[in-house]
Amino acid sequence: MAENDLTLRMIPSLDRQLVFPLLEFVSMKQVYKAEDMLKAKFELLSSTNMVEFTGELYMQIHDTDSLPEDFAKRGVQVIKMLEESEQKTEHIRAVIENPEVVGSLRQDKLQNMKLLRENYQCTPEMVLELYKYGQLQYSCGNYGGCADMLFHFSILSTDPELTLSAMWGKLASEILLGNWEVAYEDMFKLKDTIDKTHFKTPGEQLQQRSWLLHWSLFVFFNHPKGRDGIIDTFMLPHYISTIQNACPWILRYLTAAVVTNRRRRAMMQDLVKIIEQVSHAYSDPITEFVESLYVDFDFDTAASKLEACEGVLERDFFLTGAVDDFVENARFFFAEVYCRVHKRIDMTGLAKRLNMKQEEAEKWIVKLIRDTRMDAKIDFKDNTVVMNPSYNPVYQQVIERTKALVFRSQVLNGAMDKRDSSAAKKDDKKQEQKQRGSGNKQSQQQQQQQQPKTGRRQQETVAVGGSY
C-alpha cells in the first residue's frame, strides 16, 4: 500500500506542523503500522512547544497514564516565554492596532518606521519582537495569533530575509486554520516575492520554488479556483523546470488537475510532453495512464492503469476527494481517443476497459457522443458504435498549427519595442548628461576668462580711489 505513497518524499519540503495532517491521513488509511505512525508524530512535534499534545502521544506510545517531570517543567517554561513575549510586544501591538496609526501607514516601510519612531516611540527592536512572538505562537499551535503577529511584522519590517520568512509562517498558519481565501492570496504574494527576489545562488531560488509547489497543494485542492490555479502556476516555465529538477513527483498533482478539469483539456498536449520528459525520474499509475493513452495508444495498459488510479487517489491526502471526478473525466479522455482511433467499436469491450456495466456504459457512450458532437452512430443490433471519421483539409491543419504565431509575434514585437524604448531612454539620458557636462565646461571656461578682467577692474578702482 505504501508503494505509491508520496508522504516520505514530501516531508523535507514541508514545515513539520504541515506534515502532521499527512501523517494523520496515512494513519487513518493504515498505509503504515500504527505504532510507527505514533512514534513518527511524537518525533515530529517533540521539538515544538505543543507540550500537552506531545504528552498525549507519549502516553499512547508507552501505554501509561503519567508523564515524566520534564513535560511539566517544559510547560512552565513555555508559559513564561509567552508572558515575556506578550509584555515585550504590548506597546507596539497597542500602537499598530490603533485605527489612526493604521490609516497613516504607507507602502514606504522606511517612512512608516520613521513615523512610528518619532510619534509613538516604536523601535526596530520592537518590530523584531513581533516576529519572535509570532514564531512562539506558531510553535505552541496558536495559528491565529501567529498570523496576526507575522502580518504586522511583514508590513513594518525592512529586513527582506525576515519578511520572506514571515510570509512563509503566515501562509502555514492560514493553511492550518483552513482560511483558504486568505491562504490563496498569501500564496500568490509569496510566489511574486520569490520570483522577484535576487537570491545568492540559483539553488536557493530553486529550493524556495520547490517548497512553494508543495505548500500550494494544500490551497489548490481546497480552494474553489484551485484546479485552474494549479494548472496556471505549475505550467509556468520556471515551475516546470523546478518540477523536472527538484520534485518530479509533483507531476502527479498537475496530471490530476488537468484530467479533472475538462475545460482545460487543451493543456493535455503540454502535459504529455512533460510526462515524457520526466518519466525516467518518476512515474505512477496516474502519469502512466496519460502516457499509455496519448503516447503509446496502448488501451489495455491505459485501462489497467485507470483501475489502479482509484487506489492511488483514495490513499493520497490531496486527491482523496477527487476520485470520482478523476475517474469520470479519465473515462471521457479514454473514450475520446479510443473513438478517434477505431472506426467500429464494440461497446461490450469498451465497457470492460472502462470498468463499467453494460447498461451503464451504453448510456454513458450515448451521452459522450451527444456532448462531444462526434460524428458517430450506435448500432444496437450489433452492439457497436460506428465512427464516421472526418479529416481536416491540409489548409485547415496549417491554419490550426499557425494560429498561435500571430499572438507570439505580437508578444515578441512588444518585447522588442520595450527593449528599444528603454535603450532609447538610456541614450537620451547619456546625451543629456554629455550636454550638461559640455555646458558646465563652457560655463567654467567663461568664468575663468572673466575672472582676470574683473580683477583688473577692481585694481583700477582701487587706484582711482587712492588718488582721491
Side-chain angles (χ1 to χ4, degrees):
M1 294 178 66
E3 180 182 357
N4 293 305
D5 180 61
L6 297 179
T7 305
L8 296 178
R9 294 191 180 190
M10 300 182 74
I11 285 176
S13 299
L14 294 173
D15 179 82
R16 62 179 62 250
Q17 298 196 40
L18 290 177
V19 173
F20 184 78
L22 274 65
L23 297 184
E24 283 280 281
F25 178 81
V26 295
S27 298
M28 183 180 64
K29 293 293 182 179
Q30 299 180 351
V31 178
Y32 302 98
K33 294 180 180 179
E35 296 179 359
D36 295 338
M37 295 310 303
L38 277 175
K39 293 178 181 178
K41 293 175 188 177
F42 179 77
E43 291 178 3
L44 182 73
L45 300 178
S46 59
S47 61
T48 67
N49 289 319
M50 301 171 68
V51 181
E52 293 183 3
F53 189 74
T54 53
E56 293 176 1
L57 292 174
Y58 179 90
M59 289 189 291
Q60 292 179 19
I61 294 171
H62 296 88
D63 192 18
T64 181
D65 295 332
S66 60
L67 290 172
E69 295 181 359
D70 295 340
F71 282 88
K73 292 180 180 179
R74 190 174 173 191
V76 173
Q77 291 176 354
V78 171
I79 294 174
K80 184 178 179 181
M81 288 190 296
L82 285 171
E83 291 175 351
E84 290 177 353
S85 293
E86 188 174 1
Q87 291 177 358
K88 290 179 180 179
T89 59
E90 184 177 3
H91 175 68
I92 191 169
R93 283 188 290 113
V95 171
I96 59 180
E97 290 173 1
N98 187 346
E100 295 180 0
V101 178
V102 174
S104 61
L105 294 178
R106 299 292 181 264
Q107 292 185 352
D108 189 348
K109 292 186 176 182
L110 294 175
Q111 191 66 28
N112 291 338
M113 197 65 245
K114 182 180 178 181
L115 173 69
L116 294 176
R117 187 188 298 109
E118 293 178 353
N119 297 340
Y120 302 97
Q121 293 76 46
C122 293
T123 63
E125 289 75 15
M126 293 181 180
V127 176
L128 182 60
E129 288 297 329
L130 290 174
Y131 176 80
K132 294 179 180 179
Y133 189 34
Q135 277 188 319
L136 184 59
Q137 294 271 27
Y138 183 82
S139 182
C140 294
N142 184 9
Y143 305 119
C146 171
D148 292 339
M149 293 302 102
L150 295 182
F151 171 73
H152 293 308
F153 173 80
S154 60
I155 291 177
L156 300 175
S157 175
T158 57
D159 188 329
E161 293 184 3
L162 288 181
T163 302
L164 181 62
S165 177
M167 294 176 72
W168 280 108
K170 186 175 184 301
L171 175 60
S173 299
E174 300 295 353
I175 289 172
L176 293 167
L177 288 169
N179 295 334
W180 303 120
E181 287 291 341
V182 180
Y184 194 79
E185 295 177 1
D186 289 347
M187 182 189 62
F188 280 104
K189 289 178 183 177
L190 181 58
K191 172 185 170 296
D192 293 338
T193 303
I194 293 172
D195 292 340
K196 294 176 182 178
T197 302
H198 296 285
F199 294 91
K200 295 179 181 178
T201 61
E204 290 184 21
Q205 191 170 45
L206 179 68
Q207 186 182 53
Q208 293 281 328
R209 285 175 174 156
S210 177
W211 290 348
L212 185 64
L213 288 173
H214 289 80
W215 292 38
S216 65
L217 297 176
F218 290 92
V219 183
F220 283 134
F221 287 103
N222 286 283
H223 193 274
K225 299 179 182 178
R227 294 186 184 180
D228 286 324
I230 190 173
I231 295 172
D232 295 334
T233 303
F234 286 20
M235 281 292 190
L236 293 172
H238 294 311
Y239 290 91
I240 291 175
S241 177
T242 303
I243 292 172
Q244 292 173 337
N245 293 293
C247 47
W249 50 87
I250 294 294
L251 193 59
R252 169 189 292 187
Y253 303 101
L254 178 58
T255 304
V258 174
V259 172
T260 55
N261 196 342
R262 200 183 301 180
R263 293 183 296 103
R264 305 296 296 274
R265 56 189 294 186
M267 304 300 296
M268 183 61 76
Q269 294 181 354
D270 296 331
L271 176 65
V272 171
K273 294 177 182 178
I274 300 171
I275 290 175
E276 284 187 280
Q277 295 171 356
V278 182
S279 60
H280 70 283
Y282 175 79
S283 64
D284 61 28
I286 297 173
T287 60
E288 289 171 353
F289 164 74
V290 174
E291 187 175 13
S292 59
L293 184 63
Y294 285 95
V295 179
D296 302 329
F297 295 98
D298 187 346
F299 298 103
D300 292 331
T301 302
S304 64
K305 295 298 179 184
L306 177 57
E307 188 175 354
C309 285
E310 295 187 38
V312 175
L313 293 167
E314 288 176 355
R315 292 190 294 273
D316 190 289
F317 174 82
F318 300 103
L319 300 176
T320 186
V323 178
D324 294 337
D325 288 344
F326 183 90
V327 172
E328 176 67 20
N329 287 281
R331 286 172 176 170
F332 167 82
F333 286 111
F334 183 97
E336 184 183 37
V337 177
Y338 193 84
C339 292
R340 287 180 179 177
V341 172
H342 298 83
K343 287 185 177 181
R344 184 177 291 272
I345 300 165
D346 181 15
M347 294 180 67
T348 303
L350 183 58
K352 290 181 180 179
R353 286 188 170 90
L354 295 175
N355 194 22
M356 300 173 70
K357 295 180 181 179
Q358 181 70 26
E359 296 180 359
E360 182 185 1
E362 289 178 0
K363 294 178 181 179
W364 189 83
I365 292 170
V366 170
K367 184 175 181 297
L368 174 68
I369 293 172
R370 183 177 67 250
D371 293 344
T372 59
R373 298 179 181 179
M374 290 183 180
D375 189 3
K377 296 179 180 179
I378 299 177
D379 188 347
F380 289 101
K381 292 183 179 179
D382 296 337
N383 198 26
T384 58
V385 179
V386 180
M387 303 296 300
N388 297 320
S390 57
Y391 302 100
N392 288 335
V394 176
Y395 70 87
Q396 186 65 32
Q397 296 179 16
V398 173
I399 291 174
E400 289 181 356
R401 293 188 178 184
T402 57
K403 62 183 180 181
L405 292 177
V406 177
F407 175 73
R408 292 179 181 177
S409 61
Q410 290 177 352
V411 172
L412 289 174
N413 286 332
M416 292 174 66
D417 291 339
K418 288 182 180 179
R419 186 182 65 181
D420 294 340
S421 62
S422 61
K425 289 180 180 178
K426 290 181 180 179
D427 293 338
D428 293 339
K429 288 182 179 179
K430 289 181 180 179
Q431 290 179 358
E432 289 179 0
Q433 291 176 355
K434 289 181 179 178
Q435 290 176 357
R436 289 176 182 174
S438 61
N440 292 333
K441 288 181 179 179
Q442 291 178 358
S443 61
Q444 290 176 359
Q445 291 176 358
Q446 291 176 357
Q447 290 177 359
Q448 290 175 358
Q449 291 175 359
Q450 291 175 359
Q451 282 178 357
K453 294 180 180 179
T454 55
R456 289 178 182 176
R457 289 180 180 176
Q458 290 175 355
Q459 292 177 359
E460 290 176 357
T461 55
V462 170
V464 172
S467 62
Y468 277 99

